[in-house]
Amino acid sequence: MLENILLGFSTSLTPENLLWCFIGVALGTVIGMLPGLGATTGVAILLPLTLSMEPVTALIMLAGIYYGCQYGGTIAAVLIATPGDANAVATVIDGYALARQGKAGKALAIAAIGSFVAAIISLILLVLVAAPIASFALRFGPAEMLAIMIMGMLTIISFSGDNLGKGLMMAGLGLALSTVGMSSGFAKARFTFGNVQLLGGIDFVVVMIGVFAVGEVISQVGTGGVQPIRTRMRDMVIRRQDIAESVPAILRGSTIGFRLGTLPGAGSTLAALVSYGMEKQVSPHRKLFGKGAIQGVAAAESANNAAANANFIPTLALGVPGGTTTAVLLGAFVMYGIQPGPLLFQNQPALVWGLLTSFFIGNVILLALNLPLAPVFAQALRLNYSYLYPAILFFSMIGAFAVENNIFALTVLFVAGVAGYFLKKYDFPTAPLILGLVLGPMVEKALVQTSSYANGDLSVIFTEPLALTILGIAVVIMLVPALMRRFSQVRQENLSTTGPLADGGEQIDGPGFESTTPGQAASLRNGPQ
Amino acid sequence: MRIRTTWQALAGVSALALALSGCGAGGGNATGDFDPGKNLTMIIPMAPGGGSDQSGRAIATGLEPVIGKTIAVENLQGGGGAVGYADFMSHEGDPSYLLATETAMVNLPLTQDVPFTWQSFTPIMKVGQDSTMMIVPTGSPHSTCTDVVEATRASQLKAAISGSVTGNDAIQFGLIEKDQGVEFQKVPYESGGEALAALLGGHVDVALANPSEVMGQMEAGEVKALCVIADKRYEYDALADVPTTVEQGINVIFSQFRGIIAPGGITDEAKSYWVDACKKYVESEEFKTYMAENYMQTDPLFGDDFSTYLASYEEQLKAGLEDA
Amino acid sequence: MSEVAAAQAPKVDIGAWVIRVVFLAVGLIVLYFGHNYKIRDENGLVGPGMMPFFAGLVMVVATLLEGIVEFRRQRQPVSPQDAGNAIADADALAANARTPTETRRAVLIVFGVILATVLLTQLIGLLLALTVMVFVLVWPVEHKPWWSAAIAALLAFILGFVVFGLVLGVPLPTGLLGLV
């Protein structure tokens, strides 16, 4: 074991590999910041550039792009409410709320710390127990995946905020939109009405940019006079207490993220969403969730990063892609003339351990880069909004195009932006829409698989022990606390007739949610200049 | 190189604009000095990183020295290729565009409501084909494809289908079912990787895979290949022992071709320009390396021969789809 | 600040009711399509209609329930929580000096500019259309000095060209004129 790690470091610490690791991480951060360009696109786009490199070097750089992108996505999510991938939706909710309160630096710092801790934990697990974990992950068949998808669906409760009805409406719309186009489970495309563009479906990334970034911009323009956020340095820099209060969230997030990230296929897409959804139910700070809880950012980001690393377990140990980004990386292996598969650890020890140890180095670089830079990035918000929002629109539109190099995306973006504005205006939470859109195809796939697997009998989900366990965990964490609160609220209501939301009018509607008390709000805005 | 590629891409679209505005880019001379245009573009109707992307990029790179021009590569994915092929129709008559094609070109018009068929385009070259292998986990009691067929006759086996329920895996199982009068319980998966994971996890009994997808697992002794769905064995050493379906008494052959097409309505000069270029390309070392690395069966066909192949391929697909 | 005054006004949300009606209509259509696509296929497996049917059902049921709850709530006298919401709304208004009419105008203008940009892309290409958009938003719409708008547009153009066009090799569409 030790000699493997030493071998790894002797590979990853060569000046050349170190340099490319740094370039990968930095490039990834920049790509991740751009709307619409997530890790998968980033790696795929830059893959051809690496073909002339040594395989190890190339993979180190591509992996650097992967987790660099994750962090870059966080920056865009926090600062301008533009999630780069589905997981970042969870970061937007609290991260952007924090940014509006002038605490963007804090949000970015906790994201960097949470990501780092998660990366280190998941790396240690990866190094120690990759093989057993990989074979455990294989036990997740159709029924288990369906149970995980149901768990994902249950998080809609958390993302709906206080108005479950509106959340469900939006989730339903998201699910409906997700069925547009061709689906691998069925012979015929649906809801295309003869339009070829719709055969490709409605890309959730484009909708996400439309609803969050464009919708938010228009809301801000509509309310007018959005002032540059002025903050004191004290609010920008993270305090020890913030970190201490986030530790449980980071640990829980890392665990959930790691667990889901090891599953081949859809697991990692859900990591941050499930982690955020669950954290909101169990956290002692849960009332702050949606209004700027750093624990929300910590839970989402640590899960995201843990999942990214865990994704490499099936990829390296089995040769089976853990997620979409690692699928592209597997393709890269073949291009470099390396056969991925279970023998990779034996046949290419220098490559595998070099790559794994480079994760450690890359994450140290990310932390060293981003912790001091977090307040600097946050300065972007001091830019006058009259200049900032045209820039956001510029990059949102170019990014939406780049998702699939398709001009049709601009039309989708416009429609989503208009819809996003009105939905936000009337307090319809937008995160469940994205959740529905992201989960829809995965849920449907799991349904189709389970039904073909069990000859149409979906009740296997209750008879397969593992599936039942997952379902049980999901119900206990997601439903029980919510029901108990509802119950105690009803009692409270009967006693005091103060209305169902006497506990502070907890309200979450994603970005654009303005802060809670008039006094606090007044302190955020300094009046027109 | 990247920078040049981009310039080419940008300018390539302007060539389209010219073509659309009626200037036409196909002013043909004699075959030898035909000029396809300054800005050449290879469209890949699939996402970056996949098999189509790799073959498209490999062919584009390989053609560049032959014609002495650069070819920009653009991915236009969506709808399992439908978006890219449909968009390619807008380049009608423009010889500066190529598209990296595979089975979806024939499959999509048969299964989906799309505005094109393979006849809408000008077939240029088929480089060769992937034959699929039937694979089972090493611990499986089945050791030939006949075993699998007999086992599913006795009690249905679960078969992983990756791609789509109208995709190649489904068609091949459909052909086997029809030929043997059996039925598999088909479980759909998004990708070959997921199907492989399901096979390794014991959730399905049998799956289909291209050699390049499972070579690693075969070497590690985790899966075994029972047969190649073809009439000829693979020539590569690692695969020469795998018998064919035909040898095992299953009268099903199927392959997945790869190649390039040009837009429909290009002049004969343009067509023969690309066909000639491709003929030179398949002689190159790069081509052989690419084919070997991906365990593809080299079987180049050009121009009209490729069209003939496509016509028979279409018939075969139709037969398979009836039962898929 | 003005939130106290605004808090007195009852919350009028005709817009929210319009959204509910749209959701209901879309939900019903999706439900209908789901039914037609077949919820179960001929072998009793999950069919193409199941997901749309489920999605439509969720939309319809959630919209109805939410609508009923909201309807009953709105008919009640203003509760402390409503007042709280109104304060939040007023707070949103407080920071800006815009009246509802101005808000509507500003929003419509930005919508219009985005739509025009999408259409203009067909003609002059994406990058140029977006550059024009930045210029228009900063100068005529936001009333910043024209030269600062020009600088902003130029910077956006250069950044977009370098990052997307050169580094990432995204094939930016050039439109019918085929300029950039």
Side-chain angles (χ1 to χ4, degrees):
Chain A
M1 179 57 56
L2 192 64
E3 71 216 60
N4 282 331
I5 293 171
L6 286 177
L7 170 71
F9 275 115
S10 68
T11 312
S12 56
L13 281 175
T14 60
E16 197 195 356
N17 288 342
L18 213 52
L19 175 73
W20 284 106
C21 183
F22 179 81
I23 292 175
V25 167
L27 216 57
T29 310
V30 175
I31 293 173
M33 270 196 268
L34 300 170
L37 294 182
T40 311
T41 330
V43 171
I45 281 180
L46 294 173
L47 183 64
L49 281 186
T50 64
L51 287 178
S52 53
M53 297 179 187
E54 281 289 303
V56 193
T57 313
L59 285 170
I60 285 177
M61 174 174 147
L62 290 178
I65 292 173
Y66 183 12
Y67 45 78
C69 270
Q70 311 270 17
Y71 192 75
T74 311
I75 298 174
V78 168
L79 296 184
I80 55 171
T82 306
D85 60 14
N87 277 318
V89 170
T91 309
V92 168
I93 295 178
D94 278 296
Y96 188 66
L98 282 165
R100 300 303 307 160
Q101 295 164 20
K103 296 175 188 158
K106 237 177 221 187
L108 292 176
I110 200 71
I113 294 169
S115 298
F116 181 75
V117 174
I120 300 308
I121 294 176
S122 51
L123 258 178
I124 293 171
L125 289 172
L126 213 169
V127 167
L128 293 179
V129 284
I133 288 177
S135 51
F136 179 71
L138 284 181
R139 287 177 50 194
F140 283 70
E144 288 76 17
M145 286 316 283
L146 184 58
I148 287 184
M149 291 307 146
I150 292 175
M151 178 154 103
M153 297 276 272
L154 284 177
T155 62
I156 288 171
I157 296 173
S158 287
F159 286 93
S160 300
D162 72 317
N163 197 330
L164 190 57
K166 281 180 175 169
L168 286 176
M169 287 165 71
M170 297 294 284
L173 180 64
L175 290 176
L177 288 175
S178 79
T179 61
V180 173
M182 285 167 60
S183 151
S184 63
F186 305 110
K188 284 285 174 193
R190 291 169 291 183
F191 297 108
T192 54
F193 312 107
N195 183 328
V196 181
Q197 295 292 346
L198 286 177
L199 274 180
I202 296 176
D203 195 288
F204 77 85
V205 178
V206 178
V207 176
M208 206 159 66
I209 300 173
V211 169
F212 281 95
V214 178
E216 173 65 13
V217 159
I218 296 175
S219 300
Q220 297 289 3
V221 171
T223 54
V226 180
Q227 294 311 313
I229 296 170
R230 296 226 200 108
T231 61
R232 290 157 302 186
M233 206 54 194
R234 210 179 68 204
D235 284 335
M236 300 298 287
V237 179
I238 194 155
R239 292 168 304 162
R240 192 166 295 174
Q241 192 200 346
D242 294 325
I243 300 177
E245 283 178 0
S246 302
V247 165
I250 291 176
L251 294 181
R252 280 191 286 261
S254 305
T255 316
I256 294 172
F258 186 79
R259 202 57 283 173
L260 288 175
T262 54
L263 302 178
S268 54
T269 319
L270 295 183
L273 298 173
V274 170
S275 168
Y276 180 90
M278 292 199 163
E279 188 65 25
K280 198 194 159 206
Q281 297 300 328
V282 302
S283 171
H285 308 278
R286 52 166 207 84
K287 280 190 182 158
L288 261 180
F289 273 54
K291 288 177 260 180
I294 56 170
Q295 290 80 12
V297 178
E301 284 304 312
S302 51
N304 198 11
N305 222 303
N309 278 332
N311 237 281
F312 279 90
I313 290 186
T315 312
L316 294 176
L318 302 169
V320 171
T324 46
T325 312
T326 39
V328 178
L329 281 173
L330 268 188
F333 275 90
V334 179
M335 285 180 164
Y336 307 134
I338 295 166
Q339 186 62 63
L343 292 183
L344 198 64
F345 275 86
Q346 279 174 44
N347 293 348
Q348 303 276 353
L351 179 117
V352 172
W353 292 102
L355 182 62
L356 290 182
T357 48
S358 84
F359 291 0
F360 177 77
I361 296 163
N363 276 290
V364 172
I365 295 177
L366 261 185
L367 187 71
L369 216 60
N370 284 306
L371 214 47
L373 282 181
V376 181
F377 281 128
Q379 296 303 313
L381 292 182
R382 298 182 74 156
L383 201 67
N384 190 309
Y385 206 67
S386 298
Y387 297 101
L388 187 60
Y389 88 82
I392 295 175
L393 286 180
F394 180 93
F395 283 103
S396 293
M397 292 177 78
I398 207 168
F401 168 79
V403 171
E404 285 191 342
N405 293 345
N406 196 334
I407 273 194
F408 178 65
L410 296 181
T411 313
V412 176
L413 183 79
F414 175 71
V415 175
V418 173
Y421 167 74
F422 284 108
L423 291 168
K424 212 174 300 236
K425 185 171 175 189
Y426 295 106
D427 283 339
F428 284 82
T430 41
L433 172 77
I434 305 302
L435 235 64
L437 203 48
V438 172
L439 284 170
M442 298 199 262
V443 173
E444 187 167 52
K445 198 178 75 180
L447 272 173
V448 171
Q449 272 172 10
T450 313
S451 115
S452 342
Y453 174 77
N455 271 327
D457 179 17
L458 293 175
S459 67
V460 282
I461 189 169
F462 302 115
T463 51
E464 300 268 345
L466 192 53
L468 190 62
T469 314
I470 298 165
L471 216 52
I473 294 173
V475 169
V476 168
I477 297 185
M478 291 308 307
L479 282 184
V480 173
L483 288 177
M484 277 172 62
R485 273 199 294 283
R486 181 53 55 97
F487 181 66
S488 62
Q489 264 170 22
V490 171
R491 273 199 359 204
Q492 216 179 357
E493 194 179 351
N494 289 340
L495 290 174
S496 62
T497 64
T498 47
L501 288 159
D503 63 349
E506 183 183 8
Q507 180 176 10
I508 292 141
D509 65 356
F513 173 69
E514 297 302 329
S515 42
T516 47
T517 63
Q520 191 186 353
S523 72
L524 297 180
R525 302 206 177 80
N526 300 293
Q529 279 179 311
Chain B
M1 195 208 104
R2 193 81 224 164
I3 294 169
R4 211 168 55 219
T5 307
T6 308
W7 278 110
Q8 295 289 338
L10 293 173
V13 185
S14 50
L16 155 70
L18 281 176
L20 281 179
S21 57
C23 302
N29 309 335
T31 308
D33 42 30
F34 171 80
D35 183 10
K38 242 166 55 191
N39 309 297
L40 309 176
T41 307
M42 169 87 78
I43 305 273
I44 296 171
M46 302 286 176
S52 288
D53 186 52
Q54 290 174 24
S55 91
R57 286 179 193 277
I59 296 173
T61 316
L63 279 174
E64 281 177 354
V66 177
I67 57 171
K69 291 165 186 280
T70 50
I71 301 177
V73 176
E74 281 181 25
N75 295 85
L76 184 55
Q77 69 238 47
V83 174
Y85 284 103
D87 185 73
F88 200 56
M89 291 186 74
S90 67
H91 301 307
E92 177 98 13
D94 183 351
S96 64
Y97 277 84
L98 297 170
L99 183 140
T101 185
E102 39 73 63
T103 4
M105 173 169 70
V106 187
N107 188 320
L108 282 169
L110 293 180
T111 55
Q112 299 293 336
D113 182 18
V114 291
F116 61 86
T117 67
W118 65 267
Q119 284 98 340
S120 315
F121 310 112
T122 311
I124 297 293
M125 163 179 69
K126 182 191 83 159
V127 290
Q129 55 252 344
D130 277 333
S131 287
T132 323
M133 303 186 302
M134 191 182 279
I135 55 169
V136 292
T138 309
S140 162
H142 315 300
S143 50
T144 64
C145 284
T146 326
D147 287 353
V148 170
V149 168
E150 291 313 318
T152 198
R153 203 189 299 279
S155 77
Q156 257 191 358
L157 293 186
K158 294 189 180 80
I161 301 184
S162 71
S164 154
V165 288
T166 53
N168 293 329
D169 283 10
I171 289 170
Q172 293 176 77
F173 274 116
L175 289 168
I176 294 173
E177 284 177 341
K178 205 168 169 187
D179 184 67
Q180 297 289 311
V182 294
E183 207 169 328
F184 289 94
Q185 188 180 335
K186 285 170 273 190
V187 186
Y189 288 88
E190 197 74 20
S191 64
E194 284 179 32
L196 183 59
L199 187 78
L200 293 173
H203 306 290
V204 293
D205 302 298
V206 53
L208 298 177
N210 295 328
S212 60
E213 287 177 311
V214 289
M215 215 55 209
Q217 285 76 15
M218 283 172 65
E219 280 168 10
E222 300 212 333
V223 301
K224 55 184 180 185
L226 303 184
C227 63
V228 189
I229 301 176
D231 49 357
K232 274 188 299 197
R233 290 191 183 198
Y234 271 102
E235 283 162 13
Y236 300 103
D237 285 345
L239 296 166
D241 291 341
V242 183
T244 64
T245 36
V246 177
E247 286 174 50
Q248 298 192 347
I250 300 168
N251 204 13
V252 172
I253 53 175
F254 189 86
S255 58
Q256 208 181 333
F257 67 84
R258 290 196 188 284
I260 55 169
I261 55 171
I266 59 168
T267 58
D268 286 345
E269 288 89 358
K271 185 174 162 185
S272 41
Y273 170 86
W274 282 119
V275 167
D276 291 345
C278 287
K279 280 181 177 161
K280 283 186 198 128
Y281 162 62
V282 296
E283 299 301 318
S284 68
E285 270 315 302
E286 289 89 26
F287 174 72
K288 286 167 189 156
T289 321
Y290 164 74
M291 296 298 273
E293 266 176 10
N294 289 277
Y295 297 98
M296 281 178 67
Q297 285 169 329
T298 310
D299 182 14
L301 289 176
F302 304 94
D304 295 338
D305 293 336
F306 187 18
S307 299
T308 317
Y309 172 87
L310 287 172
S312 67
Y313 194 84
E314 190 178 21
E315 287 310 308
Q316 201 191 358
L317 275 193
K318 272 187 195 156
L321 281 167
E322 274 169 28
D323 245 42
Chain C
M1 292 200 124
S2 63
E3 70 260 22
V4 183
Q8 309 306 326
K11 194 176 176 186
V12 187
D13 58 352
I14 295 167
W17 286 104
V18 172
I19 293 179
R20 285 187 190 98
V21 171
V22 171
F23 266 80
L24 196 63
V26 173
L28 286 171
I29 293 169
V30 173
L31 202 64
Y32 171 75
F33 269 91
H35 179 74
N36 277 3
Y37 286 139
K38 298 278 180 299
I39 297 169
R40 294 256 175 183
D41 71 2
E42 58 273 21
N43 301 323
L45 305 183
V46 168
M50 185 177 273
M51 198 59 171
F53 188 83
F54 174 69
L57 198 66
V58 169
M59 285 179 76
V60 170
V61 172
T63 308
L64 287 177
L65 286 180
E66 205 270 336
I68 291 169
V69 171
E70 185 62 21
F71 183 68
R72 285 171 53 183
R73 202 181 63 79
Q74 284 189 2
R75 282 174 47 137
Q76 280 172 5
V78 177
S79 69
Q81 183 233 340
D82 283 336
N85 273 356
I87 288 173
D89 279 2
D91 166 41
L93 289 171
N96 65 79
R98 287 190 186 178
T99 63
T101 326
E102 281 175 343
T103 296
R104 214 168 298 137
R105 242 194 82 213
V107 167
L108 275 178
I109 287 176
V110 180
F111 278 153
V113 171
I114 297 178
L115 188 61
T117 308
V118 173
L119 296 176
L120 203 58
T121 299
Q122 311 283 346
L123 184 67
I124 60 173
L126 184 61
L127 204 52
L128 282 183
L130 289 176
T131 308
V132 172
M133 176 189 81
V134 171
F135 184 75
V136 169
L137 285 178
V138 177
W139 181 39
V141 176
E142 289 294 322
H143 308 297
K144 295 288 165 196
W146 67 268
W147 51 267
S148 75
I151 293 175
L154 191 68
L155 279 178
F157 177 85
I158 293 172
L159 214 60
F161 184 74
V162 169
V163 173
F164 283 89
L166 296 185
V167 179
L168 298 176
V170 172
L172 299 168
T174 54
L176 288 174
L177 297 184
L179 299 172
V180 182

